[in-house]
Every structure is written in structure tokens, then in C-alpha cells.
Amino acid sequence: MMDWTDRHCRAFHRRLSSRARLYTEMLTTGAVLHGDRSRLLAFDPGEHPLALQLGGSDPGDLAQAARIAEDLGYAEINLNVGCPSDRVQSGRFGACLMRDPRLVADCMAAIIDAVDIPATVKCRIGVDEQDPEESLFGLVDLCASAGVGVFIVHARKAWLDGLSPKENRDIPPLDYPIVYRLKRERPNFTVVINGGVTSLDGAQAHLSQVDGVMMGRAAYHQPEILGAVDRRLFGASSIDVTSSGAVEAYLPYVRAELARGIHLAAMTRHMLGLFHGLPGARTWRRILTVEGARPGADIGVIERALDAVRTASSARLFAA
């Protein structure tokens, strides 16, 4: 989710669910240690519970980055051992680390020694020609010996040789059963499943086998899914958050960020998936995309787009 789940995206998603744990986009240790921390690591307190996802392979750098994150108030440090992008491979982090599980365990040991907040791993079931029976269980057991108890598993291999990052999201077949088996055979570990989950019905089905479900692109492209998470997955008695309700709840945040000099499009780009399949959805996207990109675009752009959706919905009801 690099370049997607920035702080504006997370602030918006939090308006849809108060219970789901949010994760940052993956940040490299180099960016954390030497980059603009006020831009890269800033977050709204309302985003909690919030985890920082790190990319790196140097135990010392990861420990230092984890300490910085803990001092800033993050609730979890997650090491990404699953991203297959080219720039990740060139930096020797992400999915290519599945080939060096002992190094991953060393990295996790360094993070755990450095901070008091939970340290977790997000991985694949294997890469390239690896046997998932060996790669997944071997990585998990080594990391567990370092003190890790939570594993987020993308239930497909990453093919680093021959497939693009986009193809790696779809072509390698999903293998949910091996993740279920991991939970059965390592019952003391918290196992979270990831990959190909596109609905809350699907998430609920997985929760009969594992402890948690991570949703990425489905939640981003159709964020209204998150509006029912608190009730359906966490058992909250609250009423589901509607898309319109989430927009209205997000407006105070948008006003505050505009006052700080943030461009409107930096926030509205994360809202384009709302109202998917509903009357006015195309107008919603057009207004936010076209008008939101103009210099000086203000909160009125969102209000006009929301009015257009409501007008389209009312017209459909009247026609019916």
C-alpha cells in the first residue's frame, strides 16, 4: 500500500471504523532515520490504534527506527517481509527476505529489544520455488524464537523473478488452507490472514479459522466496507457508518488540514471509491478529481460532490 495509506487516508478510514487497526504505508528505515519525519511519520491522534510498517534488513537501523516510532506514539511496529516491488527488492527488504529467515529473526529480535510496544511480521507463504511448508513455518518458528507472537500472512507466494508487482497480487494462487494450518499447529500465535479478501462475508468466514483479517486494496477502493466493520466483526452495538456520514465526519479534519496549507486533492484522492455502484458515484468522482485538483480548491468541492450524490439518490427514489 505504498503511496496509498498515508495519514490523510488513515484519518478518513478511521471515520468509517473506530475499531479496525490501521497500518501505515511501508516506510523504509532510511526514510525514517534520514527523511522528513514530520511529513512521513505524523499522524492524527484519532487514527489509533495505529501501526507503523517498516521496510529494512539492518537490525540496528530497524531498532533505531522502532524507537523513534515508539516515542512518537505508534502502537505497533510491523516488519514487511511480503512486498514484491522492484524498488523493495533492490533495497533488500520486503518479500526477498523470505529467503533469509534467520536475518528476519535477527531483525525482529533487535526491534523487540528496542521497544516495549508489540513487534509483528507481515510475510508471504514463500517466494519463487520455495516450498511453503518450509518457508512459511520456518520463518514463523525462527521469528517466534526471537519473541514474535503475531504474524500477518499474505496467503500467496511472491514470484520475484518473472512477475511484476501487479501480477504478484493476482497470479500466484491463494493458499488459505496453509495459513489455517499454521494457526492450528501454532495455536499460541496470533495469525492474521491477508490476500484476496474483498468483503466482510469473506472476512467472517476466515475468522472461523484464524484470529484476524487484513484488508488492503478492497478497503481502499470500496471504503464503505469499513462502515460495517465495528458491528459485524467487533460486535459493537453502534449503527453502521454510511458513506455520507463518513464524509461529514471527515470534513473537520479536511478544514484543519487546508488551514495548514495541505492541498485538497491530497485528501480527496482517498475518497474516490465511495458510493461505488450508487447513483451519482460518477459525478462524485468527477467533481473531486477535476475541481479538487484546482489551485485554491476548498471544502466546498466536497460539499458540492456530496450534494450531487444526494440529489441523484433522491431522483432515483422519486422515479421509483
Side-chain angles (χ1 to χ4, degrees):
M1 304 298 287
M2 294 169 69
D3 301 322
W4 288 22
T5 50
D6 62 18
R7 63 189 182 91
H8 305 306
C9 173
R10 300 189 306 264
F12 171 57
H13 284 178
R14 182 56 75 212
R15 270 62 182 179
L16 286 153
S17 170
S18 63
R19 304 287 188 91
R21 178 165 293 239
L22 301 178
Y23 286 74
T24 68
E25 58 188 321
M26 185 180 68
L27 297 176
T28 67
T29 51
V32 173
L33 298 181
H34 309 296
D36 183 354
R37 294 176 194 169
S38 63
R39 179 178 63 85
L40 295 171
L41 294 174
F43 61 89
D44 186 90
E47 292 176 40
H48 276 303
L50 176 63
L52 173 64
Q53 187 173 98
L54 287 174
S57 58
D58 181 273
D61 287 349
L62 284 164
Q64 188 177 349
R67 282 191 290 268
I68 291 169
E70 183 180 44
D71 289 343
L72 289 173
Y74 281 90
E76 174 189 331
I77 304 298
N78 177 257
L79 180 63
N80 187 306
V81 192
C83 182
S85 79
D86 296 335
R87 52 180 166 160
V88 163
Q89 292 183 58
S90 65
R92 198 168 179 246
F93 49 90
C96 65
L97 288 178
M98 293 289 299
R99 297 183 179 130
D100 196 346
R102 291 191 179 278
L103 175 59
V104 176
D106 290 343
C107 289
M108 295 310 301
I111 293 171
I112 289 168
D113 285 345
V115 299
D116 293 325
I117 56 178
T120 66
V121 172
K122 183 176 187 292
C123 65
R124 294 273 182 145
I125 61 173
V127 297
D128 297 332
E129 298 298 337
Q130 284 184 330
D131 179 356
E133 300 278 339
E134 299 176 0
S135 56
L136 176 60
F137 284 77
L139 177 75
V140 166
D141 288 341
L142 282 170
C143 288
S145 69
V148 180
V150 180
F151 299 90
I152 303 165
V153 185
H154 187 144
R156 57 164 48 97
K157 278 188 174 184
W159 285 93
L160 304 180
D161 184 15
L163 290 183
S164 69
K166 181 179 180 180
E167 290 170 327
N168 262 295
R169 296 197 294 267
D170 301 307
I171 292 178
L174 286 159
D175 187 356
Y176 294 138
I178 198 169
V179 185
Y180 298 161
R181 192 180 130 206
L182 176 66
K183 177 58 185 179
R184 286 197 308 272
E185 297 186 8
R186 308 290 191 276
N188 294 329
F189 301 160
T190 297
V191 177
V192 179
I193 202 165
N194 172 237
V197 185
T198 60
S199 69
L200 294 189
D201 288 341
Q204 286 181 311
H206 285 304
L207 288 173
S208 66
Q209 303 286 338
V210 293
D211 303 294
V213 176
M214 175 180 276
M215 298 180 71
R217 284 168 177 79
Y220 187 90
H221 290 303
Q222 298 183 49
E224 65 273 8
I225 289 174
L226 298 174
V229 161
D230 291 0
R231 176 181 60 83
R232 292 189 57 182
L233 301 188
F234 290 91
S237 58
S238 56
I239 298 173
D240 293 352
V241 179
T242 65
S243 295
S244 294
V247 173
E248 291 174 345
Y250 191 46
L251 291 180
Y253 174 88
V254 175
R255 289 191 182 94
E257 292 299 297
L258 288 171
R260 292 180 55 245
I262 302 299
H263 197 282
L264 183 70
M267 293 170 278
T268 55
R269 72 186 184 97
H270 302 300
M271 306 164 65
L272 298 177
L274 280 178
F275 307 108
H276 177 76
L278 297 178
R282 182 175 298 179
T283 303
W284 164 263
R285 293 192 298 271
R286 178 181 57 77
I287 292 175
L288 293 188
T289 302
V290 176
E291 296 187 27
R294 292 172 180 165
D298 60 17
I299 202 79
V301 172
I302 300 176
E303 293 172 334
R304 286 192 295 277
L306 187 57
D307 285 343
V309 171
R310 288 170 170 163
T311 299
S313 179
S314 297
R316 181 170 180 175
L317 289 173
F318 182 78

